Amino acid sequence: MDWGVHCNLCHTLDFLPFYCIDCEGQFCLKHRFKHGCGRGKEEGGGPSSPCRDEEAKQKQTCSLVGCTEPERVFARCPYCCKHFCLRDRYPAVHSCEANEKREEEMRQQYAVDVGVGQRVAFARDRIALSISTKKARNPKSEAMKEKVRLMKMKMKATGAERIPQEHRFYLCVSWQGQPGAMYFIDDRITVGRAVDELCKLSKQSNHNNNPAHAELAMFTLHHQKTALVRLPFSSVLCEIPDLVCSGAEVFLELVDRS
């Protein structure tokens, strides 16, 4: 373990050791005064010289700017390795930059780990669902299930009321692996325009018009595939029924521009 310091007297591991300005040792709470450095019983006082007193005055300064707290024993911060008085020894009190940097790195690593875990789980579930669709099923039963599913979607989906009923294209949209929401859009628009409309309806950010950002693409599960299939931006929704149809589930994912 890299944290903490062993007491010079009893060798106890202490995460906030006390620094003695006289013998320059580091001690636990029990031995911060009583460690036999010849300073006396109460304060550890004893014979001193002008040179020693001047050196002690220099070492008695708390590292926190503006602190004038009189203290003879200082604690060393395990993160920034500076010495502080007993009042300012905690990282939160002296605004320890090293500790803040460490916590930020931990938060970023946690976010990366969570994001990777979600992506792996998302891909595994979608592939498992795609494989299951390849099993032999009753065509009439499957057609009826799709009709019922579309009817339920029409009851819950939201969209622009100006779109005629005969041109409403219903989709269950999942964002970056999150649970899907139901919307309807015009089936006469392209896939690229559909991505823009879905972002407006769900109030999601969309930077497809900015080459410096990643591209938000639309994917779907093809009944003959075992992976997600990307829909071309230039394709019109009503002209690609072999790839996606009204009532389908689609996924919007950020991808690198190629």
Side-chain angles (χ1 to χ4, degrees):
M1 180 180 293
D2 296 332
W3 295 351
V5 175
H6 290 277
C7 174
N8 292 157
L9 191 63
C10 65
H11 305 291
T12 300
L13 181 63
D14 197 319
F15 294 98
L16 286 175
F18 296 91
Y19 175 80
C20 179
I21 61 175
D22 296 307
C23 64
E24 299 185 353
Q26 299 189 75
F27 302 93
C28 62
L29 178 64
K30 180 179 179 181
H31 299 112
R32 62 172 178 166
F33 291 125
K34 301 178 180 180
H35 52 264
C37 72
R39 293 292 295 175
K41 294 184 178 180
E42 262 185 68
E43 303 179 351
S48 61
S49 65
C51 295
R52 188 178 181 84
D53 290 341
E54 183 63 28
E55 182 183 358
K57 288 180 182 179
Q58 295 178 0
K59 293 182 180 180
Q60 283 179 347
T61 304
C62 177
S63 297
L64 184 64
V65 178
C67 177
T68 58
E69 185 73 15
E71 185 65 62
R72 299 195 62 82
V73 178
F74 291 86
R76 178 177 176 272
C77 176
Y79 306 113
C80 62
C81 300
K82 296 180 181 180
H83 293 88
F84 299 92
C85 62
L86 299 183
R87 185 187 63 180
D88 302 325
R89 59 179 174 168
Y90 299 105
V93 177
H94 62 263
S95 301
C96 182
E97 295 182 357
N99 184 47
E100 293 176 357
K101 181 179 179 181
R102 181 185 67 90
E103 292 180 350
E104 180 63 26
E105 291 176 351
M106 292 176 62
R107 284 193 292 268
Q108 293 178 358
Q109 184 61 41
Y110 175 76
V112 170
D113 293 342
V114 171
V116 172
Q118 289 180 347
R119 292 289 186 278
V120 172
F122 171 75
R124 183 174 60 246
D125 294 343
R126 296 282 74 86
I127 293 175
L129 176 61
S130 177
I131 293 175
S132 66
T133 59
K134 298 179 65 177
K135 297 180 180 178
R137 296 178 180 176
N138 187 337
K140 293 183 179 180
S141 176
E142 290 302 315
M144 181 58 67
K145 287 182 180 179
E146 290 299 324
K147 288 183 179 180
V148 173
R149 184 169 179 269
L150 181 58
M151 290 175 59
K152 292 181 178 179
M153 189 178 294
K154 288 181 179 180
M155 297 173 59
K156 298 179 180 179
T158 58
E161 296 297 332
R162 56 179 171 77
I163 302 176
Q165 290 287 342
E166 63 271 18
H167 289 294
R168 292 187 177 184
F169 199 86
Y170 294 86
L171 294 173
C172 180
V173 185
S174 297
W175 299 86
Q176 298 289 311
Q178 300 300 322
M182 300 178 186
Y183 304 99
F184 64 84
I185 53 180
D186 199 319
D187 65 352
R188 296 168 292 184
I189 63 177
T190 62
V191 173
R193 178 69 183 279
V195 172
D196 297 337
E197 292 295 328
L198 292 173
C199 289
K200 291 179 182 179
L201 291 172
S202 59
K203 298 180 180 180
Q204 298 285 344
S205 59
N206 179 15
H207 301 287
N208 281 0
N209 60 343
N210 189 343
H213 287 77
E215 194 171 49
L216 188 63
M218 182 183 293
F219 296 83
T220 186
L221 279 171
H222 195 277
H223 62 89
Q224 295 293 338
K225 302 291 183 178
T226 59
L228 295 176
V229 178
R230 180 174 178 175
L231 302 179
F233 278 160
S234 58
S235 300
V236 180
L237 291 175
C238 62
E239 297 177 357
I240 51 173
D242 56 328
L243 292 179
V244 62
C245 58
S246 184
E249 183 178 10
V250 297
F251 311 92
L252 296 182
E253 294 284 334
L254 289 172
V255 296
D256 293 332
R257 296 177 183 267
S258 56

